[in-house]
Amino acid sequence: MGERVGFIGLGIMGRPMARNLLAAGFPLTVHSRGAGPVDELVAEGATRGEDPAGVAASSDVVITMLPDTSDVEAVLLGPGGVLEGAQPGSIVIDMSSIDPAPTRAMHAALAARDVAMLDAPVSGGEKGAIDGALSIMVGGDEAVLARVRPILEALGTTIVHVGPSGSGQVCKACNQLVVAATIEAVAEALLLAERSGVDGARVREALLGGFAGSKILEVHGQRMLDDGFDPGFRIRLHRKDARIVEEAAAATRTPIPSFSIVAEQLQKAVDAGDGDRDHAALFAELVREARSAT
Amino acid sequence: MGERVGFIGLGIMGRPMARNLLAAGFPLTVHSRGAGPVDELVAEGATRGEDPAGVAASSDVVITMLPDTSDVEAVLLGPGGVLEGAQPGSIVIDMSSIDPAPTRAMHAALAARDVAMLDAPVSGGEKGAIDGALSIMVGGDEAVLARVRPILEALGTTIVHVGPSGSGQVCKACNQLVVAATIEAVAEALLLAERSGVDGARVREALLGGFAGSKILEVHGQRMLDDGFDPGFRIRLHRKDARIVEEAAAATRTPIPSFSIVAEQLQKAVDAGDGDRDHAALFAELVREARSAT
């Protein structure tokens, strides 16, 4: 348990994750764009890192939890970045949700300087982060995963090694594809019921036990019936993840005909001002379209 | 249990259903287009009905299990049809999967002659029919359902009253919408994984426990990984049901943007000769498209 851990990116997800590492007893150096979250973590026992290079210089394992691909590239490879400070034999775990292809490129750039990298995006949201109950999808070398497993176990309850570098991000993209497409399908079905004069609650109940049954029908279907769209997972974040899906599909020439439409629906919802509502509000987007059509 | 039951339509689903009614002790009169299935049921104890009117004349409750809307209209309202022979106070249960709007019209036409009607489409497939374990989604008057419940209990294990006439068919349409859209989403995700060099089995496993988890990911996802597309539920039947969804959506001006694409994929799969494979073969359709694009 002696590994010194660095944590870069103290946002909604990163903050509780860093806190769980402190609670698990890991010596922790933190850095983030905003001073507030850093001050908070320092008050709780972490050490301040002046920049990513500084964090790397005093850590055996550096975790990044950042909004987008370009952020991870800047923090790892940019001036004052992790690569400038990282010691040979150290490990970077990128837990952000970003593009698989640039992930593989960063993996290679770090490997050339004897720094290992895992991609380890998560699902489970803010609640999972707070509870240390995230699902973690890991791409990269299995021996590297074995070494950092005790660290990841402080953050999540399910840790799946998916495959080589980039596989964790591909898996996360698949997850976000299925989740958004299922939400859209449930929304279309419940709206069809409602507009046919049929009680959506009865339909949800009748469908739950059969082949139409899913976690989404259960949870997000209920949100649609309740008109309860507080996040949860924000539509604008799912729109960002949809872009990753689209880029991964384009890069591999994979047809995603139905998801392309779902991505458009996410974009329309953002454009309509629903970006900060839960992704179940894809239902509200359909309702708007139905109203403007009649 | 003294109700005399008529059964019209001894296809793949109707035959085992009629058999279960005989086994439950209901006096049964049967009719079907083909003589073979009628002979079979008569050998097992049923009475032959010369035409739908004849079946109705000797039954308190008439069940129809037919391929499409026009078949049900012909059998109920056409020459020699159920309405010609039905006694006032008798009940028609249409267990076919057909359009909600014509269902309501037939309900009204029968009601004018004091014949009640329930729409009671099922899910569970041939296996559910054989096992008497269908899920039955019922539209129509609740008191009528109460009277025929012992009959339906010989056919299914889950009997949900959804709402007034047509509601059962709306519910079935919602079911078929969600099932096909989820299959397509899982197919797109697993193909994206595969074409990204990632093991689809690991992705399925990683996704099953979270929000992407569904019965479809579990069952049909596995079929995709195994390339095992024996039906199951045939694509051409799902294409038929998709048309019902599209007509119900058009009639109620309900936007179904993602399902419209899924319906196209079903059609393409039928056009490619996959109509008699399981609907999980939407995956095979995507594979074809990926190949022809590269």
Side-chain angles (χ1 to χ4, degrees):
Chain A
M1 293 288 254
E3 303 269 24
R4 297 167 304 157
V5 179
F7 202 105
I8 300 171
L10 299 171
I12 289 176
M13 295 292 288
R15 213 162 345 168
M17 290 166 73
R19 214 164 260 146
N20 283 331
L21 290 170
L22 273 181
F26 291 100
L28 191 72
T29 306
V30 297
H31 177 77
S32 199
R33 256 191 309 216
V38 175
D39 292 343
E40 244 179 65
L41 267 291
V42 168
E44 295 173 30
T47 303
R48 183 184 313 269
E50 285 316 316
D51 58 10
V55 171
S58 52
S59 303
D60 305 302
V61 176
V62 176
I63 296 174
T64 49
M65 190 62 177
L66 298 161
D68 221 332
T69 307
S70 57
D71 302 302
V72 178
E73 287 172 332
V75 159
L76 293 187
L77 308 180
V82 167
L83 191 55
E84 285 184 6
Q87 302 149 62
S90 67
I91 298 172
V92 169
I93 313 174
D94 178 34
M95 304 189 73
S96 326
S97 291
I98 66 167
D99 268 357
T103 291
R104 290 185 204 105
M106 287 186 271
H107 178 272
L110 292 170
R113 302 276 286 273
D114 196 21
V115 175
M117 177 175 171
L118 299 175
D119 47 304
V122 304
S123 73
E126 186 182 0
K127 185 172 173 1
I130 292 170
D131 298 345
L134 295 167
S135 282
I136 309 178
M137 299 157 251
V138 186
D141 191 67
E142 207 155 2
V144 175
L145 171 57
R147 190 176 136 198
V148 302
R149 193 175 273 274
I151 296 171
L152 295 180
E153 281 171 349
L155 303 174
T157 42
T158 308
I159 300 162
V160 181
H161 182 250
V162 184
S165 178
S167 302
Q169 297 297 355
V170 169
C171 191
K172 178 72 191 283
C174 291
N175 187 76
Q176 298 303 79
L177 187 166
V178 171
V179 166
T182 310
I183 291 175
E184 175 64 22
V186 167
E188 293 179 9
L190 291 182
L191 189 63
L192 177 60
E194 192 180 283
R195 291 177 68 88
S196 304
V198 174
D199 182 359
R202 297 274 180 99
V203 170
R204 173 179 166 281
E205 190 197 322
L207 266 50
L208 264 181
F211 275 115
S214 66
K215 188 85 181 161
I216 295 293
L217 178 62
E218 190 189 330
V219 174
H220 299 77
Q222 191 59 50
R223 283 182 195 162
M224 294 173 202
L225 295 171
D226 296 342
D227 231 352
F229 298 130
D230 291 342
F233 190 74
R234 289 166 204 273
I235 286 188
R236 64 180 168 74
L237 293 178
H238 215 136
R239 171 62 241 187
K240 184 211 87 174
D241 290 350
R243 201 160 286 127
I244 293 171
V245 172
E246 290 173 310
E247 280 163 15
T252 56
R253 293 202 187 99
T254 306
I256 48 166
S258 85
F259 186 75
S260 299
I261 299 293
V262 174
E264 276 178 29
Q265 294 299 110
L266 288 165
Q267 184 62 50
K268 283 189 211 166
V270 170
D271 293 344
D274 271 356
D276 285 316
R277 298 176 93 185
D278 185 71
H279 47 182
L282 280 173
F283 182 78
E285 173 57 29
L286 280 184
V287 169
R288 266 192 301 275
E289 290 173 25
R291 280 189 191 140
S292 72
T294 43
Chain B
M1 293 288 256
E3 304 267 26
R4 296 168 304 158
V5 179
F7 202 104
I8 300 171
L10 300 171
I12 289 176
M13 296 291 288
R15 214 163 344 169
M17 291 166 73
R19 213 163 262 145
N20 283 330
L21 291 169
L22 274 180
F26 292 100
L28 191 72
T29 305
V30 297
H31 177 77
S32 198
R33 258 191 306 214
V38 174
D39 293 343
E40 244 178 66
L41 268 291
V42 167
E44 296 173 28
T47 302
R48 184 185 312 269
E50 286 315 316
D51 58 10
V55 171
S58 53
S59 303
D60 306 303
V61 176
V62 176
I63 295 174
T64 50
M65 190 63 178
L66 299 161
D68 220 333
T69 308
S70 57
D71 302 303
V72 179
E73 287 171 331
V75 159
L76 294 187
L77 309 180
V82 167
L83 191 54
E84 285 183 5
Q87 303 149 61
S90 67
I91 297 171
V92 170
I93 312 175
D94 178 35
M95 304 189 74
S96 325
S97 291
I98 66 167
D99 268 356
T103 291
R104 289 185 205 105
M106 287 186 269
H107 179 271
L110 293 171
R113 303 274 287 271
D114 197 21
V115 175
M117 177 176 171
L118 300 174
D119 46 303
V122 306
S123 72
E126 187 182 0
K127 185 173 174 358
I130 292 169
D131 298 345
L134 295 167
S135 282
I136 309 177
M137 300 159 247
V138 186
D141 192 66
E142 207 154 1
V144 175
L145 171 57
R147 193 177 133 198
V148 302
R149 192 175 275 273
I151 296 172
L152 295 180
E153 281 170 349
L155 304 173
T157 41
T158 308
I159 300 162
V160 180
H161 182 251
V162 185
S165 178
S167 303
Q169 297 298 354
V170 168
C171 191
K172 178 72 191 281
C174 291
N175 188 76
Q176 297 305 78
L177 186 166
V178 172
V179 167
T182 310
I183 291 175
E184 175 66 21
V186 167
E188 294 180 8
L190 291 182
L191 189 62
L192 177 60
E194 194 180 281
R195 292 176 68 87
S196 305
V198 175
D199 182 358
R202 297 274 179 99
V203 169
R204 173 179 165 280
E205 190 196 323
L207 266 50
L208 265 181
F211 274 114
S214 67
K215 188 84 179 159
I216 295 293
L217 178 62
E218 190 189 330
V219 175
H220 299 76
Q222 190 58 51
R223 284 182 194 161
M224 295 173 202
L225 295 171
D226 296 342
D227 231 352
F229 299 131
D230 291 341
F233 190 73
R234 289 165 204 274
I235 287 189
R236 65 180 166 77
L237 294 178
H238 215 136
R239 172 61 242 188
K240 186 211 86 173
D241 290 350
R243 203 161 283 125
I244 294 172
V245 172
E246 291 173 309
E247 280 162 14
T252 56
R253 294 202 186 98
T254 305
I256 48 166
S258 85
F259 185 74
S260 299
I261 299 294
V262 174
E264 275 178 30
Q265 293 300 112
L266 288 165
Q267 184 61 50
K268 283 189 211 165
V270 170
D271 294 344
D274 271 356
D276 284 316
R277 300 177 93 185
D278 186 72
H279 47 183
L282 280 172
F283 182 78
E285 173 56 29
L286 279 184
V287 169
R288 266 192 301 276
E289 291 173 26
R291 278 186 194 143
S292 72
T294 44

